[in-house]
Amino acid sequence: MGRKLLLEHINVPGINTFDVYRSKGGYAAVEKALKTLSPEDIVEEVKKSGLRGRGGAGFPTGMKWSFLAKPEGKPRYLVCNADESEPGTFKDRFLMTKIPHLLIEGMIIGSFALGAKTSYIYVRGEMMPQIRILEKAIAEARNAGFLGKNILGTGYDLELYVQPGGGAYICGEETALIESLEGKRGNPRIKPPFPAIAGLWGCPTVVNNVESIAAVVPIIRDGGEEYAKIGVGRSTGTKLISASGNIVKPGIYEIELGVPVEEFIYSDEYCGGIANGKRLKAVVAGGSSVPILPANLITKTINQETRLMTYESLSDGGFATGSMMGSGGFIAFDEDQCIVRNTWNFARFYHHESCGQCSPCREGTGWMEKVLHRLEYGHGKLSDIDLLVDVSKKIEGNTICPLGDAAAWPVASAIRHFRDEFEWHVTEPKLCLQRNYGLAHYADPLPKPESALVG
């Protein structure tokens, strides 16, 4: 069994309440941070830990904190991005539901480290149960003296608020989130300036994911060096994975980074294998915005090395033969799943969620949805496949925020790895409506690297 840092006490009855959480060592990291460490010490510990953003980007958290502009009479803010909207990802919702005080403890430590006197948890609007849970937990923490004026007699003041969002995927992008938090339409801002210089109300701001902030608690409790001992290379610590799709045991798993992908899929400790005795066809490893990989590339790299659940190993091979860790939204597809239908479904989502600010994304996502709909329902042409590739290239890298890339990558990768299935939808339009293209060659061993066709 791998080490559990975030979910160690998740099944303890009443762990969502202050008293039970406190009895299991809760808020000890806050006491250590406020009474024995300086803000600079905390930032240094987070740097030593090697913690990388768990929301998808994977940027070093300690480095992000160190970019915050020095105080010049302006307030500073820590904002928690709890607008979990990535299809296939549900780990943050789980944390907020089951163990809300872990997030609140992380928010207090992070706010102290950044010199923030007011902080916000921005929660997706549809998550009303989680919003109520957080508000109750904040009230409990305040009554116990961990929020408000003069916390623990240290002279540090902090007000923590929960802010419901409008239910827009685009507000997962940090500048769009900030715009929404200010009461405006959630459109991404042009950068620079970056939020670390001019964020919420023009003040220095750090935006971190729920899991990233929760991970600060064990880092401060045990020390950054201890945290960095877990994992492989630059992928340190543990990671929450939202596992779904055609697996025996869907759910939330906390893994030590470095677990082989094959072990994660097939071991009883994790997903338990493919449901109903079927074969694996493909995997989306990090949420809907990352490239999809066929079965023979998700367990082994193109060089036949074991693929690991790390940022580096999952991206090995670039977008030609690799993918991304992303937000940890791990979706498995069995041999009966239709890749074209899945890709169309993702394209529908991104077209709907595009804010419309950038022409390539506003127009391109609509075109991709229309063309994929044609192919899925037997009205497509072979030229439509190259048209999709061309449109995806026109979108990628040409938008203010990464939503355009997130829409383009799944389409481009699906065609790259499953082109014959797209062609089959054109040549066999009646059969494709049955959506039973089957496994074909996607689980077969790869050819030797020197003869493999990549790209």
Side-chain angles (χ1 to χ4, degrees), residues 307-321:
R307 183 90 70 179
L308 306 177
M309 296 288 280
T310 66
Y311 292 91
E312 292 75 28
S313 184
L314 283 172
S315 62
D316 185 279
F319 280 2
T321 59

Side-chain angles (χ1 to χ4, degrees), residues 15-27:
I15 195 65
N16 61 319
T17 65
F18 177 86
D19 290 340
V20 176
Y21 180 76
R22 182 78 166 134
S23 72
K24 293 296 181 180
Y27 291 99

Side-chain angles (χ1 to χ4, degrees), residues 40-166:
E40 293 76 18
D41 291 336
I42 296 171
V43 174
E44 191 59 32
E45 287 299 317
V46 176
K47 281 185 176 179
K48 286 180 188 175
S49 73
L51 176 67
R52 296 168 68 171
R54 302 304 199 217
F59 190 82
T61 303
M63 188 179 297
K64 187 174 185 177
W65 285 12
S66 68
F67 290 159
L68 200 66
K70 302 301 179 187
E72 296 176 354
K74 285 185 175 182
R76 311 167 108 199
Y77 298 101
L78 172 62
V79 178
C80 173
N81 183 351
D83 189 74
E84 188 173 49
S85 310
E86 181 83 357
T89 310
F90 41 92
K91 61 185 177 64
D92 294 342
R93 181 182 311 191
F94 182 76
L95 271 181
M96 291 185 288
T97 303
K98 296 291 187 180
I99 190 163
H101 284 282
L102 181 65
L103 173 58
I104 293 167
E105 186 173 7
M107 288 293 293
I108 298 168
I109 297 169
S111 299
F112 176 68
L114 298 169
K117 300 295 182 70
T118 304
S119 294
Y120 297 90
I121 304 174
Y122 182 96
V123 186
R124 185 170 177 82
E126 289 91 339
M127 297 187 193
M128 289 310 298
Q130 287 73 29
I131 290 169
R132 288 191 287 268
I133 289 168
L134 285 171
E135 288 176 338
K136 180 181 177 182
I138 287 171
E140 290 179 331
R142 177 184 294 279
N143 291 337
F146 285 92
L147 285 171
K149 299 288 186 183
N150 193 25
I151 298 173
L152 302 179
T154 60
Y156 177 60
D157 304 335
L158 176 65
E159 296 297 333
L160 180 59
Y161 300 100
V162 179
Q163 175 62 46

Side-chain angles (χ1 to χ4, degrees), residues 317-384:
F319 280 2
T321 59
S323 185
M324 296 168 66
M325 171 68 77
S327 58
F330 195 94
I331 311 171
F333 299 94
D334 70 21
E335 57 196 280
D336 292 336
Q337 299 306 313
C338 175
I339 299 299
V340 177
R341 183 170 181 79
N342 171 72
T343 308
W344 167 60
N345 209 27
F346 284 169
R348 288 169 58 206
F349 173 81
Y350 288 110
H351 180 211
H352 181 270
E353 296 296 333
S354 173
C355 75
Q357 187 175 192
C358 307
S359 298
C361 181
R362 182 184 66 245
E363 302 298 326
T365 53
W367 272 107
M368 289 197 299
E369 181 192 346
K370 289 174 187 175
V371 175
L372 283 162
H373 182 275
R374 282 206 303 257
L375 289 167
E376 167 60 12
Y377 285 94
H379 306 299
K381 301 174 289 185
L382 287 175
S383 59
D384 284 339

Side-chain angles (χ1 to χ4, degrees), residues 229-295:
K229 290 177 183 176
I230 303 170
V232 177
R234 291 176 53 240
S235 295
T236 62
T238 65
K239 176 82 183 74
L240 296 182
I241 305 295
S242 312
S244 64
N246 304 120
I247 52 178
V248 174
K249 296 163 54 183
I252 307 287
Y253 296 98
E254 184 174 9
I255 64 167
E256 292 188 12
L257 286 169
V259 172
V261 175
E262 190 168 9
E263 179 183 336
F264 181 72
I265 296 173
Y266 292 103
S267 74
D268 290 336
E269 184 179 348
Y270 300 114
C271 299
I274 307 305
N276 302 314
K278 295 187 177 179
R279 297 174 72 193
L280 178 67
K281 179 174 183 176
V283 166
V284 173
S288 65
S289 60
V290 309
I292 189 172
L293 286 181

Side-chain angles (χ1 to χ4, degrees), residues 160-210:
L160 180 59
Y161 300 100
V162 179
Q163 175 62 46
Y169 176 78
I170 194 66
C171 290
E173 195 278 333
E174 60 181 19
T175 62
L177 185 156
I178 289 169
E179 287 283 291
S180 178
L181 198 52
E182 292 179 354
K184 304 170 189 171
R185 179 184 172 89
N187 280 3
R189 295 176 180 175
I190 295 175
K191 295 176 282 192
F194 291 90
I197 306 297
L200 189 61
W201 295 299
C203 299
T205 304
V206 167
V207 180
N208 281 134
N209 171 261
V210 170

